[in-house]
Amino acid sequence: MIESRVKKDFYIWEGVYKTFEDALKDTTGSGFSGNTYQERSLAAANECLVALDSNEPIPNFHKQRSNFLPVVVAMAMGNKIDSDSTLTILDFGGGLGIGYMVPKESMSNNIKSVDYAIIEVPEVCSVGKTLFKKNEIKYQDSILPFQEFDIIYASSVIQYIEDWQALLIKFSDLKPQFILLSDVFAGTIESFVSLQNYYGSRIPHWFLNLDDLVNCFSDVGYQLIMKSYATSRRLDHEDIIPMSNFPKRNQLKMTLHLLFKRDT
């Protein structure tokens, strides 16, 4: 008798948990500390560097999350009273520097006026430091005492932070004029945590209520001045988040780009 083999559907996220702590109990694998993530990140960074060196466009798949960053950088530069002053940017969870490469592609004449720092885990910092000229990007594994920045940027990061409210408060303590969050999993849903399947790992992942996030910023003196839907490609789905395995009340259609400005 020939056995029939039915391929199990693959879902990016599975399960609904009330708290991050509950989801952590079912976490498996090394996640973003594993070899697969590191190899894919390095390949993407090198592809972008080759494009820059060849005066070719960075592939859109790699830069789609950072498309608003050059606009915010240009806007912040225009607000500087002293045009010769340095613009400071903190890229939280910035990986191997694609967020930096996107403004460099479109603002090559002004990029020398940008002081760009990336916060990452020590393993990523070690690799990142080998990809760029000395001091082109400052890699650090924590926020240093007395640091302040003009712009804070975080791309597809907030959803992996257990106490995301505390992180946003920490951002405000750095007194940036602008805070840009890209690829944010937030909308008109009740906040919950799910597990993201990533190459054999299962990683806790927030889906947030947008009003809760905006109110957290408002409490520390930042107002939402721009909301835009993010483009993406996940499991051959263009832009629409594949969440058909979730109840309707838990589904988000698209992620968001959110720009906050400090109250004057």
Side-chain angles (χ1 to χ4, degrees):
M1 183 177 69
I2 300 175
E3 291 185 359
S4 62
R5 296 183 179 180
V6 179
K7 183 178 179 182
K8 181 183 182 296
D9 290 334
F10 177 82
Y11 299 108
I12 299 179
W13 303 277
E14 292 182 293
V16 175
Y17 299 82
K18 288 186 176 181
T19 68
F20 209 88
E21 184 179 5
D22 288 341
L24 281 172
K25 298 173 185 177
D26 294 330
T27 299
T28 60
S30 52
F32 297 126
S33 298
N35 291 332
T36 299
Y37 173 74
Q38 294 178 19
E39 290 169 0
R40 287 166 61 92
S41 296
L42 184 57
N46 281 324
E47 190 174 346
C48 296
L49 286 169
V50 168
L52 285 178
D53 291 341
S54 304
N55 290 318
E56 297 289 337
I58 293 174
N60 188 61
F61 178 80
H62 296 321
K63 70 179 178 182
Q64 59 188 347
R65 291 173 178 164
S66 302
N67 279 332
F68 278 104
L69 184 56
V71 179
V72 177
V73 172
M75 183 167 55
M77 281 183 170
N79 289 341
K80 285 278 190 180
I81 297 176
D82 181 1
S83 60
D84 294 328
S85 59
T86 299
L87 187 75
T88 55
I89 302 174
L90 175 66
D91 187 341
F92 186 88
L96 296 180
I98 291 178
Y100 168 78
M101 292 185 238
V102 176
K104 184 175 182 179
E105 175 192 48
S106 58
M107 305 178 64
S108 57
N109 292 334
N110 294 320
I111 199 65
K112 291 182 180 179
S113 299
V114 172
D115 188 338
Y116 203 95
I118 289 179
I119 298 286
E120 264 295 355
V121 296
E123 296 83 358
V124 174
C125 291
S126 296
V127 176
K129 290 175 181 178
T130 68
L131 297 179
F132 299 93
K133 297 176 182 177
K134 185 177 181 180
N135 294 327
E136 189 172 4
I137 293 179
K138 296 178 180 177
Y139 271 94
Q140 49 194 73
D141 58 14
S142 62
I143 296 172
L144 303 178
F146 310 112
Q147 281 192 302
E148 293 185 3
F149 295 90
D150 297 306
I151 297 171
I152 291 180
Y153 176 56
S155 174
S156 204
V157 171
I158 302 301
Q159 66 267 24
Y160 300 115
I161 306 299
E162 180 173 5
D163 191 350
W164 58 268
Q165 297 98 327
L167 178 63
L168 300 187
I169 293 170
K170 181 63 176 177
F171 284 172
S172 70
D173 290 340
L174 302 176
K175 301 179 181 178
Q177 182 182 14
F178 297 104
I179 300 175
L180 175 63
L181 306 181
S182 293
D183 197 33
V184 182
F185 289 77
T188 55
I189 59 170
E190 184 177 342
S191 295
F192 70 95
V193 182
S194 187
L195 288 174
Q196 178 180 339
N197 293 305
Y198 187 83
Y199 293 95
S201 298
R202 289 162 63 83
I203 310 164
H205 182 294
W206 277 108
F207 290 83
L208 298 173
N209 177 271
L210 179 59
D211 287 341
D212 288 347
L213 190 151
V214 171
N215 288 337
C216 181
F217 272 111
S218 180
D219 289 343
V220 292
Y222 283 81
Q223 301 304 317
L224 179 67
I225 62 170
M226 186 275 291
K227 180 185 78 172
S228 177
Y229 292 102
T231 58
S232 64
R233 183 179 179 86
R234 298 179 174 94
L235 288 185
D236 296 325
H237 289 72
E238 292 287 350
D239 301 334
I240 301 300
I241 303 174
M243 296 185 70
S244 61
N245 57 315
F246 286 87
K248 289 286 186 182
R249 66 180 181 275
N250 296 120
Q251 293 182 19
L252 289 177
K253 290 185 177 180
M254 300 179 73
T255 56
L256 301 172
H257 298 304
L258 303 172
L259 178 62
F260 296 86
K261 187 176 186 295
R262 187 178 64 210
D263 293 338
T264 54

